[in-house]
Structure formats: structure tokens, C-alpha cells
Amino acid sequence: MSALRREPAGIERRAFLRGAAALPLALAVSESLSAADKSGPSGLIVREKDPENLEFPFAALDGALTPNESFFIRSHFAVPKLEAKSWRLKVEGLVERSLELTYDDLLKMPSRTVPALIECAGNSRVFLTPKAKGLQWEMGAVGNAEWTGVPLAAVLATARIKEGAIENRATEVVLEGADTGEIREDPKSAGVIPFARSLPFARARAPEVLLAYKMNGAELPPSHGFPVRVVVPGWYGMAAVKWLSRIVVIDRPFLGYFQSIDYTVWDRRDGLASLVPVTELQVKAAVARPAVREAVKAGSAYRVFGAAWAGAGEVERVEVSTDGGKTWAKAKLLGEPVRWSWRLWEYEWRVPSRPGPAAVVARATDKDGRTQPDRRDPDRRGYAINHLLPIEVEVR
Ligand SMILES: Nc1nc2c(c(=O)[nH]1)N[C@H]1C(S)=C(S)[C@@H](COP(=O)(O)O)O[C@H]1N2
Ligand SMILES: [Mo]
């Protein structure tokens, strides 16, 4: 039996649930959920104060677009103080023409607006047992916004990638932020480093990958990367480099800290276990309501509500189980599918009249039949958490 399935002893009502449920409960949550979490500005939950790491209280989900002030913040270092006037974006490496663009240069280029979800690769980490290192996010290290900016492809085209690099499948585009710091715990960083990630050239030139300067129609807020951030629809959040300051085109894998130490998972192709960077979003349904440990009225009709996403794919269906994964019923998908965005869904639960614990689980499946795994794959370390997460509630 995997250590991930081990259940803490001494909690009797769980014994009841274990008998009834096909799925292990997300036990870590009840223990780690701290009612003591101070509420930050706009009701965001403070996971870390310095640097700023704030979570959207997912139970407050109420629309397809997350307002800027409610959007979660994941920052590894302090917010750099940047001004639009003095900010420059350098483009260098395997390009015919190195560039140094100003904010106005960027604003003058043809822009595009793309609605896209950003989910932190560590979202839902609090549900992992044994506990995984890193910020203990619940469901709310995710948001959906409309991003406006210039396609990265257009900037790369202006700099003109060298011919050899265009043909070379090893070509990568490194995106570097203006924020810097030193990671002092093991594994340590190479002294003071900036936040940086790379994209394979093929992904970097996709038309939806933006250098965004607007979020939901407003100027990009400082905490979300002012003046310019990258948005990589369909990938986990670490690719969406904030405070973008430099783009470097290289002909080898980039193995920076946040690409080879943080944000990596084990890949076992050809029987070779090797660490690979976290990239594409995994299909996932997240329950907003009921919240963990919510008291639900016995005998009532309860509207289970949440969001589901599938990265580059489209959510085909969401199913809900109210018996911990034994039986499933189809939820209703709301609105229309929007590429790169989440889809809201609801399900009417006829709450049993007998009081006691219950577990609500949601499961999304995309158009290609990809669905969520029942159990945690330890190869994913503390990232890409999309296995089924039963939400424990109390019927009263
Ligand atoms: N420069 C920089 N960009 C960054 C980060 C960072 O620490 N520095 N964090 C990344 C991670 S891990 C995530 S999940 C997203 C979060 O974006 P948000 O803070 O706008 O929600 O930004 C990404 N871009
Ligand atoms: Mo993240």
C-alpha cells in the first residue's frame, strides 16, 4: 500500500467513511486547514506574507472571470518596483537583431485578448498525504482572466530567430523576470537569481502565448507582473513569467532553478526515470461549494457548484459523487466552452435525511477522454495535483 493512502488513526467518523467510500479522503486538509489563516486584502487567504503568496477562497467562486483583486498571487521573490517609463524588454541570443523594447513599443504593436486560466502547479497541495514541501494551497491557487497583450511570436519575429535555430528542435525561449532573490534552504540557488522559465520554441511561437499588459481590461497590477507578464494558456502557472525583463533564445535545454529543481516531476519514458519540467495543465474539476467541513442541511436540495478545466482541451463532462466515489451522476455544464478557460458547473444534490459525514467528489473528463486519476501518483511530487479530491462535509 502506498504511503499516500495511509490514513491517520484515531478519527472515528473517518472509519465510517472508509467503509462506504471507494476513494481515500483528502485527509490532510482537515488537519492543515487553519482557521487561523489571516485574511488579506480582498478576502484573499495569506499563505505567506513575504514574499506575497495569497490564495483565492475558492468557496467564493461566482463567475467565469476572476476579478483582479481576487486573483491568487504566487511570487517567489519580492515584487520588483518597476515603472513603465524606464522598463525595457531585452530580446537576445539566437536572433538576427537584438532588441530593447519600451512599454510604448509594445503598446504600439497589434494586440490580442485571450481569456485564460492560470493554475499554480502546487494548487491543492494541502490535500497530499504525506505532506509535500511547499505552500499548502487548498483549491484557490487558480484564477481565470482576460489577458491583453502582444503575441510573443510577434516579438520573436521582430528580432528574427536565426535560421539554424528555427529548424533546431532543441531551441528554447527563456523568459526572465525582473524579480530576484536567493533560495537559502536546500536545494540552494546559485546565489541571487531571477525567476526564469523557458518554453520550447514551438510553444513560444503559438499565437495565444502573450506578453500581456492588461488583465481583465485594466492595467496589469504590480503583484501580477506590471508592466508586462507572459501568459501561456494551457500550461501551469510557473510558465507565466511576471515582470518580464529579458527573452533569450538558446539552442539547449534551459536548466534554471525553477525548471530543473522546482516545478519538476518524474517521467518514466523508456523505463528511464528522469526529472522533467512541469508543463501542461491536467484536467481537473474543483468543488467550490460545499467547502471542506461545511455543514449541509439534512434532507435539503443543495447546489454543488464549481469549475472544471482541461488545459488546451475542452471539458466534455463533469460528474459528481456524493458518496465518496462509489456512484457518479452528471453535473450540468454552465454557459459555453471558452478555449483556455475554465467551465463552471453545478449539480443538485438531494442531501440524505440522516445526519452524518459525507464526501463530495467531482471528476472532469475532456473531449479526448482524459480524466482525473483516482489516486495520487507520487512521481508528480508536489505538483500537478488533479487526482480525485473528496470534500468532507457534515450532514446535519
Ligand atoms: N517573475 C516571476 N514570475 C512568476 C512567478 C514568480 O515568482 N516570479 N511565479 C510563477 C508562478 S509559480 C505562478 S503560479 C504564477 C502566478 O501568477 P499570479 O501571481 O499572477 O497569480 O506566476 C508565475 N510567474
Ligand atoms: Mo505556481
Side-chain angles (χ1 to χ4, degrees):
M1 193 190 205
S2 133
L4 290 173
R5 291 209 238 155
R6 215 188 310 128
E7 300 181 12
I11 300 169
E12 265 162 47
R13 61 197 190 108
R14 289 199 179 117
F16 163 83
L17 277 169
R18 199 162 48 230
L23 293 166
L25 284 169
L27 294 174
V29 169
S30 312
E31 278 78 50
S32 313
L33 269 181
S34 47
D37 276 325
K38 283 150 277 140
S39 206
S42 319
L44 292 178
I45 303 159
V46 180
R47 293 280 167 233
E48 190 176 12
K49 221 174 153 191
D50 196 8
E52 187 181 39
N53 283 290
L54 308 179
E55 176 164 354
F56 170 63
F58 202 67
L61 179 72
D62 73 349
L65 291 177
T66 312
N68 292 357
E69 60 280 5
S70 302
F71 208 95
F72 82 100
I73 296 170
R74 172 65 181 115
S75 294
H76 292 78
F77 305 129
V79 175
K81 292 188 179 63
L82 301 176
E83 278 170 32
K85 257 206 301 199
S86 53
W87 175 84
R88 295 289 181 278
L89 173 59
K90 288 187 182 153
V91 186
E92 51 196 54
L94 299 172
V95 293
E96 297 292 351
R97 203 149 71 91
S98 294
L99 305 176
E100 205 171 292
L101 300 174
T102 66
Y103 188 60
D104 283 343
D105 290 339
L106 219 58
L107 260 55
K108 279 187 207 131
M109 293 177 72
S111 73
R112 220 192 131 171
T113 297
V114 178
L117 166 134
I118 294 184
E119 183 190 12
C120 181
N123 190 29
S124 311
R125 188 176 283 137
V126 74
F127 291 88
L128 298 181
T129 42
K131 211 169 138 110
K133 251 179 64 176
L135 293 168
Q136 298 299 304
W137 303 107
E138 292 169 40
M139 283 293 193
V142 60
N144 197 52
E146 263 182 10
W147 309 95
T148 303
V150 176
L152 171 56
V155 170
L156 294 174
T158 309
R160 299 209 316 275
I161 308 291
K162 296 222 178 197
E163 209 151 294
I166 293 176
E167 290 152 14
N168 185 351
R169 287 186 51 198
T171 299
E172 294 194 359
V173 177
V174 181
L175 306 159
E176 192 178 83
D179 52 330
T180 59
E182 182 169 3
I183 290 134
R184 293 194 174 84
E185 322 85 77
D186 282 320
K188 297 182 175 68
S189 60
V192 174
I193 56 164
F195 184 89
R197 280 283 300 196
S198 76
L199 294 173
F201 182 51
R203 188 79 193 110
R205 74 202 302 198
E208 69 277 5
V209 174
L210 294 187
L211 307 187
Y213 47 76
K214 276 190 179 175
M215 180 177 183
N216 289 325
E219 187 174 82
L220 202 58
S223 295
H224 295 291
F226 179 84
V228 175
R229 81 173 304 165
V230 184
V231 176
V232 185
W235 280 34
Y236 281 107
M238 73 282 127
V241 176
K242 303 190 278 190
W243 312 293
L244 184 67
S245 65
R246 196 161 72 108
I247 297 173
V248 193
V249 181
I250 61 175
D251 62 359
R252 59 185 188 279
F254 174 61
L255 297 174
Y257 191 90
F258 300 98
Q259 187 114 8
S260 67
I261 294 179
D262 261 8
Y263 301 109
T264 57
V265 291
W266 292 108
D267 172 284
R268 290 179 191 267
R269 256 171 304 159
D270 304 318
L272 302 167
S274 48
L275 285 174
V276 296
V278 173
T279 56
E280 284 167 21
L281 281 164
Q282 302 294 304
V283 61
K284 182 169 176 177
V287 176
R289 295 188 285 277
V292 177
R293 289 185 304 187
E294 186 173 320
V296 173
K297 194 164 182 280
S300 68
Y302 187 99
R303 180 182 182 247
V304 180
F305 174 67
W309 52 94
E314 188 183 318
V315 173
E316 162 86 8
R317 68 174 175 277
V318 171
E319 295 153 291
V320 172
S321 170
T322 52
D323 55 13
K326 271 203 303 183
T327 59
W328 296 87
K330 250 177 143 177
K332 183 182 175 200
L333 299 179
L334 305 172
E336 294 299 319
V338 177
R339 192 135 199 236
W340 315 118
S341 289
W342 62 25
R343 183 104 185 247
L344 303 181
W345 54 266
E346 66 181 12
Y347 171 75
E348 193 183 280
W349 177 23
R350 318 226 116 245
V351 182
S353 47
R354 217 182 70 181
V360 178
V361 200
R363 176 172 69 194
T365 303
D366 76 6
K367 287 253 187 287
D368 296 320
R370 274 185 291 251
T371 191
Q372 302 181 235
D374 287 357
R375 289 186 169 77
R376 179 67 187 162
D377 175 358
D379 281 354
R380 292 194 185 175
R381 308 171 71 218
Y383 307 108
I385 300 150
N386 78 325
H387 63 293
L388 298 182
L389 298 173
I391 302 300
E392 255 185 295
V393 298
E394 193 67 38
V395 175
R396 266 197 217 143

